[in-house]
Amino acid sequence: MSSIDLSEFKIGDQVEINGSNEGAVVFSTVTSEFSADYPQDEWADMERGLMLKTKEGALVFYGADYLSSGAASVTRLAAAEQNG
């Protein structure tokens, strides 16, 4: 598997991890982008990675090391500007 550029994922993007875990990016510590509901000052201690909010409302964090290791499959299902 090729390396993933996590800086390409933006707040609001709908993504799928490993073909089954789907959610919206609510913050990225890779790019230091945080949504209003998940402000940076409340999540400052997180390692580099992406936080997703699933359709069920669960928050799931994926570390950059794991996502970039080749062990994970990350797919953008819809870009933020297409979500509405």
Side-chain angles (χ1 to χ4, degrees):
M1 235 181 256
S2 62
S3 180
I4 297 166
D5 183 0
L6 297 177
S7 66
E8 294 181 8
F9 295 93
K10 304 298 179 197
I11 304 307
D13 282 355
Q14 293 290 324
V15 299
E16 183 179 73
I17 310 292
N18 297 331
S20 62
N21 299 329
E22 184 179 330
V25 176
V26 295
F27 70 76
S28 168
T29 55
V30 174
T31 60
S32 296
E33 293 178 283
F34 293 78
S35 64
D37 291 337
Y38 302 92
Q40 185 171 7
D41 61 339
E42 293 182 15
W43 299 92
D45 294 335
M46 297 296 290
E47 66 179 276
R48 291 183 71 242
L50 302 174
M51 180 70 83
L52 305 184
K53 184 173 183 179
T54 68
K55 291 179 181 181
E56 294 81 17
L59 293 176
V60 182
F61 183 80
Y62 292 94
D65 289 345
Y66 170 69
L67 293 174
S68 299
S69 70
S73 165
V74 184
T75 304
R76 181 184 291 116
L77 301 175
E81 58 271 6
Q82 294 175 348
N83 301 327

